[in-house]
Amino acid sequence: MNHQFFQDFIIPKNLLHDLDRQRTQINLIRVLPIAIIFYVIEWVIFYLSAYFYDVGHIVLGLQIASSLILPVLIYAKFKFQQLSHHFVDTILGIYTVILITYSIIVALNTQAHADLLHMHIMIMTGIIAILYLKIWESFILIMGSCLIMIILFPYFQNNPEIVLINQINLFIYDIVLWFFALGLFKTRLKTMLLEHDLILKNQELEHLVKTDSMTHLYNHQAILDYLNEEMNRAERNEQALCIILLDIDDFKRINDHFGHQGGD
């Protein structure tokens, strides 16, 4: 039972690169529109912060960092096939750390007059729910931010009881959040493996449909489809198209003597 439990979290080595690249692309597609919307919302918060909490300087710091990261994310979205997925992963990681740092600073700096710990919790939950994170990545992000918050709480909150309550609540929540991340990782990995198997099955079916089972050459319909594709390409590019036909003399005699199966 325990062996099967751990097996559910292991990515097969032969699929590691392909699934890792697919995971990075999914993360980029999910993060970019949310990052753009969040960027716009934070400018609104920046201009209205004076009426609520004095966090304008913190928001401004986030916006400066986002202004540097967002163009890179947009570039990566349109040039993903030409880029290393490790590079894109690094940029996404930097942006994620920026968001977590922002949520920690806001939560701590408002302890004296308002408790915005819930904002940190919402951002952490959103990151775990949106991103396809590996187990060790989610563990470091969740437990790392939790440890930082627990250590720094006493320096921003004078009431020891509130400090203790926040520390306990945050620790329990982050434990639950990490188990939630484990469940998400298991479900997403299973889905990606099933999708990969489906792609392989479809490729195999496509090969069977297009080829002759004996010679493994293109069948009649596949040849016509390929010819039509090349004719369209030649017309589109205004290029010449040549077709070579081969015929074996008196091949009928071979079929008559050995049979059609022998001729094939």
Side-chain angles (χ1 to χ4, degrees), residues 49-60:
S49 61
Y51 299 99
F52 302 100
Y53 309 115
D54 187 20
V55 293
H57 59 292
I58 303 174
V59 176
L60 182 60

Side-chain angles (χ1 to χ4, degrees), residues 7-209:
Q7 283 294 112
D8 292 337
F9 296 94
I10 297 176
I11 301 176
K13 289 185 178 180
N14 61 316
L15 302 178
L16 187 59
H17 179 272
D18 291 340
L19 293 185
D20 210 27
R21 186 170 182 84
Q22 180 183 351
R23 181 183 65 88
T24 302
Q25 187 173 23
I26 292 172
N27 283 341
L28 179 60
I29 292 172
R30 287 183 166 203
V31 166
L32 184 56
I34 295 174
I36 294 173
I37 294 172
F38 192 69
Y39 183 74
V40 174
I41 292 174
E42 287 302 310
W43 276 123
V44 175
I45 293 175
F46 172 73
Y47 288 112
L48 297 179
S49 61
Y51 299 99
F52 302 100
Y53 309 115
D54 187 20
V55 293
H57 59 292
I58 303 174
V59 176
L60 182 60
L62 170 69
Q63 295 302 82
I64 292 173
S66 298
S67 298
L68 298 175
I69 292 291
L70 272 178
V72 182
L73 289 175
I74 295 171
Y75 174 80
K77 171 65 171 61
F78 292 100
K79 296 291 184 179
F80 183 80
Q81 299 303 328
Q82 289 78 40
L83 297 174
S84 166
H85 73 275
H86 296 296
F87 168 76
V88 181
D89 238 356
T90 301
I91 299 302
L92 288 170
I94 293 173
Y95 182 69
T96 302
V97 171
I98 289 173
L99 287 183
I100 295 175
T101 303
Y102 166 71
S103 69
I104 291 174
I105 294 175
V106 169
L108 292 175
N109 274 271
T110 55
Q111 284 294 306
H113 47 83
D115 189 355
L116 292 185
L117 181 60
H118 65 276
M119 193 191 75
H120 168 70
I121 290 175
M122 287 191 297
I123 288 180
M124 289 301 303
T125 305
I127 289 172
I128 297 301
I130 293 169
L131 293 178
Y132 279 30
L133 295 174
K134 297 176 182 177
I135 295 176
W136 65 269
E137 291 174 334
S138 61
F139 180 83
I140 290 176
L141 289 177
I142 294 171
M143 295 307 170
S145 64
C146 178
L147 182 61
I148 292 172
M149 293 283 285
I150 288 175
I151 292 174
L152 295 180
F153 263 133
Y155 296 96
F156 293 87
Q157 175 57 256
N158 296 324
N159 191 325
E161 292 182 1
I162 295 178
V163 170
L164 182 60
I165 291 172
N166 280 339
Q167 289 173 330
I168 294 174
N169 287 341
L170 184 63
F171 180 73
I172 293 174
Y173 176 81
D174 282 345
I175 291 293
V176 174
L177 183 60
W178 189 64
F179 278 102
F180 174 65
L182 284 180
L184 278 180
F185 178 82
K186 179 180 177 180
T187 302
R188 288 165 172 173
L189 176 60
K190 185 177 180 180
T191 301
M192 292 176 74
L193 290 174
L194 289 174
E195 290 175 350
H196 186 270
D197 288 341
L198 181 61
I199 291 173
L200 293 180
K201 294 292 185 184
N202 288 336
Q203 290 175 346
E204 183 179 348
L205 287 173
E206 185 178 0
H207 176 75
L208 291 174
V209 168

Side-chain angles (χ1 to χ4, degrees), residues 227-250:
L227 178 61
N228 185 58
E229 181 182 333
E230 290 301 316
M231 290 174 65
N232 289 335
R233 191 201 312 275
E235 183 178 0
R236 188 168 58 250
N237 297 331
E238 298 182 353
Q239 295 176 339
L241 177 67
C242 298
I243 301 176
I244 300 176
L245 298 176
L246 299 177
D247 182 38
I248 301 178
D249 292 339
D250 299 325

